Amino acid sequence: MSQPFRVPRSRATETHKTLRDEIMAALEPVLFDDYRSSYTIRAEFEAEFASEMRQRHAVAAHSGTIALLLALRACGVGPDDEVITVGNSDISTTGAISQCGALPVLCDVTWSDYTIDVDQVEALITSKTRAILPVDLHGHPANVRALRPLADRHNLKIVEDAALATGACDHGAPVGAFADVAMFSFAPFKPLGSAGNGAMLVTGDDSLAEQLRLLVAYGHDPHDDKLPPGYQNYIAEGYNVPLDGLQAALLLVKLPYLGEWTRQRRAIVSRLEAGLADTAATLPRFRPESLPTFRSYAIAVDRQQELHLGLRAAGIEAVIHYAPPIYEYDVYAGMFPERAGLTTTGRLAAEIVNLPVTPELTSDDVDYMIEVTRRLLNDG
């Protein structure tokens, strides 16, 4: 068995131990009370999360992948439509588009913060474009506010992939404020992580919220009480993908701590920025109105593999996220004729190394990470 990392990607289990009494009390009713307790707890978590994100509605789903699919379907995306997104994300982003029967169209990203290049979007819009799907990569907010007038002018929906950005803000509001629908993921390594899969969709649109609730629960008619007992009616072809009650209970305990953990992540990144400022690494730069959270701290270096492997050999659980870019996956062979123009996307995939930013890291952990990273960069 391999030795544990000295500086791991996550120490969430340590936090869970400090919250043990709260967590166990929250799980008790799900495990031992009436089965409807799960529904009540999930609804309570939805309400609390909507309040945290300053949104009218929140709909909890089983995973980020299915949640993106639900969001696109609720926005009317279907066969032969096009959705503009980015190529430096997880396959869930393009996969959700394809599984609606639509075509992903890739836009390049900015070198500064790795998010969609707003200035290049309009040139990609065609008569088939139905939506724009920006990604808040690594917890960096995409400039969705700048996309909003463009989308409105072309009658497009915006579905924001905020999977990595729970706790981030932009233009003074939580991410998701300028989208039609935004998706947040609760997988274990995310800023607000569960013990398994989970996601939340938020929207300020009543009709979209109604569609999301239909799709997350089979398409079951919520007003079928006029039918004979035991009968059901379905008004949409949906899925059985609500958030599990156990995950909802855990997340309901953890949600009040999100602000504190986000501040800790930002403090760690401030230390890393200062410690690596005069090295050969290129550090991300953010718009002044953008306030990221950080699932990790992504730096760009010429010797990606050398730094990545060197950090891990030193006990630092660095990773390389989203390489190669989506358009190089075998499943997409022959697709994406626009790939030749995605120069920044390709360069980032070849240079990004992600450093741990779990909020439980100590000052010594961060100092050690800076020391090792500087040494590896200087040795080259």
Side-chain angles (χ1 to χ4, degrees):
M1 183 175 178
S2 61
Q3 294 296 314
F5 285 98
R6 173 174 170 176
V7 183
R9 289 177 64 192
S10 173
R11 285 195 179 127
T13 53
E14 293 181 8
T15 293
H16 290 169
K17 289 174 184 176
T18 67
L19 299 174
R20 179 188 293 273
D21 291 345
E22 289 182 68
I23 290 170
M24 296 309 294
L27 297 181
E28 284 262 346
V30 181
L31 293 171
F32 304 116
D33 288 357
D34 186 281
Y35 71 91
R36 283 169 290 222
S37 296
S38 286
Y39 305 158
T40 301
I41 290 167
R42 182 167 57 240
E44 184 180 353
F45 177 52
E46 289 175 334
E48 291 296 325
F49 195 86
S51 176
E52 182 77 21
M53 296 298 119
R54 302 183 214 165
Q55 293 277 2
R56 284 173 57 83
H57 305 281
V59 179
H62 177 264
S63 72
T65 303
I66 193 65
L68 278 180
L69 177 63
L70 301 182
L72 291 165
R73 281 198 57 188
C75 287
V77 174
D80 299 322
D81 290 334
E82 294 177 355
V83 177
I84 297 170
T85 189
V86 294
N88 62 335
S89 182
D90 190 272
I91 195 171
S92 295
T93 307
T94 47
I97 297 168
S98 297
Q99 288 159 24
C100 287
L103 177 70
V105 176
L106 302 183
C107 182
D108 208 3
V109 297
T110 67
W111 177 249
S112 57
D113 68 2
Y114 322 143
T115 65
I116 193 166
D117 188 338
V118 175
D119 293 336
Q120 297 192 40
V121 172
E122 190 159 26
L124 299 172
I125 296 173
T126 72
S127 60
K128 293 184 176 183
T129 308
R130 180 62 66 91
I132 306 170
L133 203 168
V135 179
D136 301 325
L137 199 69
H138 309 302
H140 309 167
N143 196 353
V144 182
R145 182 178 178 181
L147 287 172
R148 187 73 264 175
L150 175 63
D152 292 344
R153 190 163 63 249
H154 291 274
N155 195 30
L156 306 176
K157 296 294 188 183
I158 298 178
V159 175
E160 184 171 358
D161 184 342
L164 308 179
T166 312
C169 295
D170 202 19
H171 297 278
V175 291
F178 306 104
D180 294 283
V181 184
M183 182 278 290
F184 299 87
S185 173
F186 306 129
F189 287 114
K190 302 302 193 291
L192 182 66
S194 63
N197 287 323
M200 190 74 80
L201 293 159
V202 300
T203 182
D205 186 303
D206 294 349
S207 62
L208 282 176
E210 183 178 358
Q211 284 299 307
L212 291 171
R213 292 205 177 278
L214 277 175
L215 292 170
V216 83
Y218 283 124
H220 185 265
D221 183 355
H223 308 295
D224 67 357
D225 51 345
K226 297 179 181 178
L227 293 173
Y231 281 64
Q232 291 123 15
N233 185 37
Y234 296 89
I235 57 178
E237 286 188 338
Y239 310 86
N240 181 27
V241 288
L243 179 67
D244 178 80
L246 289 169
Q247 304 300 337
L250 172 61
L251 290 161
L252 191 55
V253 169
K254 296 177 74 171
L255 181 60
Y257 299 95
L258 175 63
E260 176 187 345
W261 295 335
T262 302
R263 288 188 290 274
Q264 289 169 339
R265 288 177 181 276
R266 290 176 183 146
I268 291 167
V269 166
S270 293
R271 295 270 308 282
L272 291 172
E273 286 177 332
L276 301 177
D278 60 347
T279 68
T282 301
L283 311 182
R285 293 174 291 106
F286 306 105
R287 292 173 285 107
E289 64 274 11
S290 170
L291 193 58
T293 188
F294 296 91
R295 195 276 287 269
S296 60
Y297 187 54
I299 64 174
V301 295
D302 289 338
R303 296 175 290 118
Q304 180 193 58
Q305 287 294 330
E306 186 177 334
L307 178 62
H308 174 229
L309 296 176
L311 287 166
R312 292 178 73 89
I316 298 167
E317 195 177 6
V319 294
I320 296 175
H321 284 303
Y322 317 124
I326 283 172
Y327 52 82
E328 292 185 8
Y329 294 165
D330 287 350
V331 69
Y332 294 130
M335 289 181 60
F336 302 121
E338 67 272 24
R339 63 188 294 169
L342 304 177
T343 54
T344 302
T345 301
R347 182 179 173 189
L348 287 170
E351 296 188 12
I352 287 292
V353 175
N354 299 78
L355 302 176
V357 189
T358 186
E360 300 87 358
L361 294 182
T362 67
S363 181
D364 286 345
D365 291 332
V366 179
D367 286 343
Y368 178 68
M369 189 157 42
I370 292 169
E371 174 195 337
V372 172
T373 305
R374 291 183 65 89
R375 173 170 52 77
L376 290 169
L377 291 171
N378 290 336
D379 285 351

